Amino acid sequence: MKELIANLIHTALDSLKAAGTLPVELDVQAQVDATRDKTHGDFASNIAMVLSKQARRNPRELAQAIIAALPADAAITKVEIAGPGFINFFASSASTAEVIPSIIAAGSAFGLSQLGKGEKVQVEFVSANPTGPLHVGHGRGAAYGATLSNLMAAVGYDIQREYYVNDAGRQMNILAASVWLRYLELCGEEFTFPSNGYKGDYIRDYAAELLQRVEQAYRHPATTVFDGVPADEPAGGDKEIHIDALIDKARDLLGEDAYEVVFQLGLTRILDDIRDDLGEFGVTFNEWFSERSLTENVERAIQTLIDNGHIYEQEGALWFRSTTFGDDKDRVVKRDNGQTTYFASDIAYLQNKFERGFDRVIYVWGADHHGYIPRMKAACEALGFDPERIQIRLVQFAILYRGGERVQMSTRSGSFVTLRELRDEVGNDAARFFYVSRKAEQHMDFDLDLAKSESKDNPVYYIQYAHARICTLLQKVAAEETAFDQARGLNNLSLLEQEAEKDLMQKLARYPEALGNAAVNGDPHILAHYLRELAGDFHTYYNAHRMLLEDVNLRDARLVLSQAVRQVVANGLSLLGVSAPESM
């Protein structure tokens, strides 16, 4: 309907140009929005106010001229001017009801479009270091990234979902050293575990598996392991130097082959756990990309920057001149010892993405990475790519509350609440919905009690209940003497004359727009809010009007309207990664 009205307005503008009333060079797209107050019609446009300055006409006068030039259309019953020059459109009941057969015919495909025109887009999200279980912060990024991918795919983008496995670098070596030290404890060695090692219970589990696999083969006396190792922080030393020395000892005492066994055991088990955790959460990836695979790419990316004139040497290190592109300072890509930096790997990974043929790449990062954006944009441009081809979405951490009090930490891990613990407590549906119910960059207070409540205050329950309520209604009518006939309902949509029915049909017609806006703007909360409003409108309608009437024509018209609501709710929930139960 909005597209129809926009086309009518443009036809009127063309007529006014031809008549000399408006300048021929005027070029503007008419904006049409649904009205909040139905006394002002169903849709409104501010086109007259937008054009008044260029046309040198009073907005209300121009609005009147536009209305006079509008072609007649059966879908519009009345057009009037409001306020300073708004043009309000009143839709006919028949045109409003046209959405019902469209939904019934399209089914799960209703709302899908080709807005994205097949643009190849990579969405990289979660990408947590494989050094431990996912926590609730990772969960919000996972829900956002997965939902954004679903929405964009639904409107015609060619989406590739990717997890970047940070399997190179110091943190992974700390993990390997931690597993080996716990293994030594299980072998009977006694020592103080490093303060900067990974201390979660999962490390002990991996160590036990290592012991079962190699028995005592990797055992070395604690005195040998800690001989010459600088003091840890509790003993007055530096915890970073201490753990780095233990990593060197592990490499030296184990040898590269045995060290790689320990390294791979920790990496593989954590990645398996992350895959399982995310899979159970309804989050899957097309590609798990290994940072280790970038070894050759890193040198090539640096060479590209050298060839483009954006690298200089200072005190033996290679620096990327990122200030040329708006960064606040230049960045080291290769240290004076010849080791490349994390940022160099990020540059190589970016180059790799575009070499794989993506038109655009989207990074989903935690909000603490905000300062990283300028240097990534700089790297993109320095490599010779349009920086507008990368988008970085920031996701704020979720703060959990139970009983009105902030949840501080997990009893199992000792340091954070895991995603699995959250899912166990509130369920996947509530977690997925609550995570995307606010703008990603906004702080989120996650009320655990609300997420578990069966009330209209719990948005996911309220929406799911609308779907289940309609399923129960249709099951009940199946037992009636005169069974529900969908064709009869579709043939009697003209009987839906109540304002609540018209409001529902207009709300249903807005689903494709809500989906498109959520996808293109990267804001899944738009769709979440739409579904809550639709569910609220249906519950209000259901509570105020009888459904199982003796007049089977009106009954079936109301039931087919309910069917359409059920379909749209199911479609929207599916894109959010939330189930649509048939009973509750």
Side-chain angles (χ1 to χ4, degrees):
M1 180 59 69
K2 293 175 70 172
E3 184 176 354
L4 169 66
I5 294 173
N7 288 336
L8 293 176
I9 292 173
H10 284 295
T11 300
L13 293 177
D14 289 341
S15 297
L16 293 175
K17 289 178 184 179
T21 306
L22 290 177
V24 176
E25 65 273 11
L26 278 183
D27 184 21
V28 65
Q29 291 296 313
Q31 181 176 336
V32 180
D33 297 302
T35 59
R36 294 183 178 274
D37 185 348
K38 294 306 174 185
T39 62
H40 295 159
D42 301 300
F43 299 93
S45 177
N46 65 348
I47 187 68
M49 291 181 288
V50 171
L51 289 179
S52 63
K53 186 174 182 179
Q54 297 179 64
R56 297 180 180 179
R57 299 279 296 271
N58 176 277
R60 286 184 64 89
E61 177 189 334
L62 181 55
Q64 186 59 59
I66 294 172
I67 291 173
L70 283 171
D73 193 291
I76 304 299
T77 59
K78 184 172 67 171
V79 184
E80 63 182 24
I81 303 172
F86 287 103
I87 302 177
N88 293 340
F89 296 82
F90 294 76
S92 67
S93 297
S95 64
T96 300
E98 287 176 358
V99 69
I100 304 301
S102 297
I103 295 171
I104 299 301
S108 60
F110 180 73
L112 304 186
S113 70
Q114 288 300 315
L115 282 173
K117 300 178 182 179
E119 182 184 358
K120 192 174 182 181
V121 180
Q122 184 204 66
V123 183
E124 183 226 316
F125 58 106
V126 185
S127 299
N129 287 335
T131 53
L134 298 177
H135 57 61
V136 293
H138 297 134
R140 191 177 186 193
Y144 175 79
T147 304
L148 175 62
S149 300
N150 291 345
L151 296 175
M152 294 185 72
V155 299
Y157 291 93
D158 180 2
I159 298 297
Q160 192 248 25
R161 301 159 173 84
E162 184 153 298
Y163 188 115
Y164 180 58
V165 181
N166 297 276
D167 55 2
R170 182 168 177 267
Q171 292 304 314
M172 293 305 303
N173 287 320
I174 294 176
L175 174 71
S178 299
V179 172
W180 182 56
L181 291 170
R182 289 303 190 196
Y183 159 85
L184 293 178
E185 288 181 336
L186 293 176
C187 289
E189 298 296 329
E190 295 184 0
F191 52 86
T192 301
F193 195 81
S195 60
N196 208 25
Y198 287 104
K199 303 182 180 67
D201 291 342
Y202 61 96
I203 299 296
R204 297 180 186 276
D205 295 338
Y206 304 155
E209 182 179 343
L210 180 63
L211 178 61
Q212 185 177 24
R213 185 188 301 184
V214 305
E215 298 181 341
Q216 301 279 323
Y218 292 177
R219 181 175 183 176
H220 290 272
T223 52
T224 302
V225 173
F226 285 85
D227 182 40
V229 172
D232 200 357
E233 187 173 74
D238 186 309
K239 65 179 181 180
E240 305 293 349
I241 295 175
H242 181 72
I243 193 66
D244 286 343
L246 285 172
I247 292 170
D248 291 340
K249 270 300 184 77
R251 286 183 179 277
D252 180 54
L253 293 174
L254 289 172
E256 286 304 316
D257 289 344
Y259 181 81
E260 184 66 14
V261 170
V262 179
F263 184 101
Q264 287 296 332
L265 186 150
L267 171 63
T268 301
R269 290 297 171 264
I270 288 180
L271 277 182
D272 287 345
D273 181 72
I274 289 174
R275 282 193 184 94
D276 291 344
D277 200 2
L278 291 173
E280 292 167 3
F281 196 38
V283 177
T284 58
F285 296 88
N286 304 108
E287 181 75 26
W288 293 72
F289 190 95
S290 167
E291 181 185 357
R292 279 185 156 193
S293 70
L294 285 173
T295 302
E296 295 181 2
N297 301 61
V298 174
E299 292 296 338
R300 188 160 58 84
I302 292 174
Q303 188 60 50
T304 300
L305 295 178
I306 292 173
D307 294 342
N308 291 347
H310 303 306
I311 294 290
Y312 64 91
E313 184 176 347
Q314 182 174 306
E315 297 180 355
L318 294 184
W319 292 72
F320 166 45
R321 193 177 281 105
S322 55
T323 51
T324 301
F325 305 96
D327 196 7
D328 61 343
K329 62 181 181 180
D330 293 342
R331 308 289 174 175
V332 177
V333 292
K334 182 180 285 189
R335 299 186 180 92
D336 56 5
N337 61 5
Q339 290 186 343
T340 56
T341 61
Y342 286 119
F343 183 46
S345 295
D346 291 334
I347 296 172
Y349 184 39
L350 175 61
Q351 185 178 48
N352 175 274
K353 288 171 185 272
F354 286 129
E355 288 176 344
R356 280 187 275 161
F358 297 113
D359 300 309
R360 183 154 50 101
V361 296
I362 298 175
Y363 294 86
V364 179
W365 289 345
D368 56 333
H369 286 72
H370 180 272
Y372 219 76
I373 296 176
R375 74 186 73 171
M376 286 300 294
K377 290 280 190 178
C380 185
E381 188 171 356
L383 287 170
F385 303 113
D386 181 356
E388 294 304 311
R389 291 176 63 188
I390 68 171
Q391 294 179 332
I392 299 172
R393 309 284 190 183
L394 298 178
V395 179
Q396 285 284 356
F397 196 78
I399 301 173
L400 305 184
Y401 287 85
R402 184 187 292 111
E405 296 185 1
R406 181 169 177 169
V407 178
Q408 293 297 331
M409 59 179 57
S410 162
T411 55
R412 182 177 188 278
S413 69
S415 58
F416 54 78
V417 178
T418 67
L419 174 60
R420 187 171 279 112
E421 288 168 335
L422 175 68
R423 294 193 297 104
D424 288 344
E425 180 164 351
V426 305
N428 279 350
D429 287 344
R432 285 290 298 259
F433 189 91
F434 272 60
Y435 271 138
V436 299
S437 61
R438 292 177 63 87
K439 287 181 72 70
E441 62 267 29
Q442 292 180 338
H443 285 283
M444 179 186 185
D445 293 339
F446 195 120
D447 189 330
L448 296 169
D449 299 316
L450 177 62
K452 293 183 289 185
S453 70
E454 297 183 357
S455 70
K456 67 178 183 179
D457 294 326
N458 179 354
V460 66
Y461 175 84
Y462 196 53
I463 296 167
Q464 289 178 316
Y465 182 49
H467 184 274
R469 201 173 201 180
I470 296 169
C471 291
T472 301
L473 174 64
L474 293 173
Q475 291 167 2
K476 187 174 181 180
V477 78
E480 295 283 306
E481 184 176 343
T482 304
F484 165 59
D485 186 320
Q486 185 182 84
R488 181 166 56 220
L490 290 171
N491 290 332
N492 286 282
L493 293 177
S494 61
L495 299 177
L496 300 178
E497 298 177 335
Q498 299 295 323
E499 283 302 313
E501 292 165 338
K502 294 177 182 178
D503 289 345
L504 263 179
M505 290 185 286
Q506 289 177 357
K507 182 62 65 66
L508 289 170
R510 294 172 196 160
Y511 173 71
E513 179 186 4
L515 170 55
N517 287 339
V520 173
N521 296 318
D523 287 328
H525 74 279
I526 292 175
L527 182 60
H529 291 177
Y530 167 87
L531 292 175
R532 184 170 187 175
E533 290 177 2
L534 176 61
D537 288 350
F538 176 76
H539 287 306
T540 299
Y541 170 58
Y542 183 92
N543 293 335
H545 298 85
R546 287 184 58 200
M547 295 291 178
L548 303 184
L549 304 165
E550 293 183 5
D551 181 348
V552 294
N553 292 328
L554 178 57
R555 180 200 70 176
D556 287 0
R558 287 182 173 178
L559 289 176
V560 83
L561 169 59
S562 299
Q563 272 190 319
V565 172
R566 180 183 67 172
Q567 185 66 65
V568 170
V569 168
N571 291 0
L573 287 178
S574 176
L575 293 173
L576 296 182
V578 178
S579 68
E582 295 187 1
S583 62
M584 294 179 70

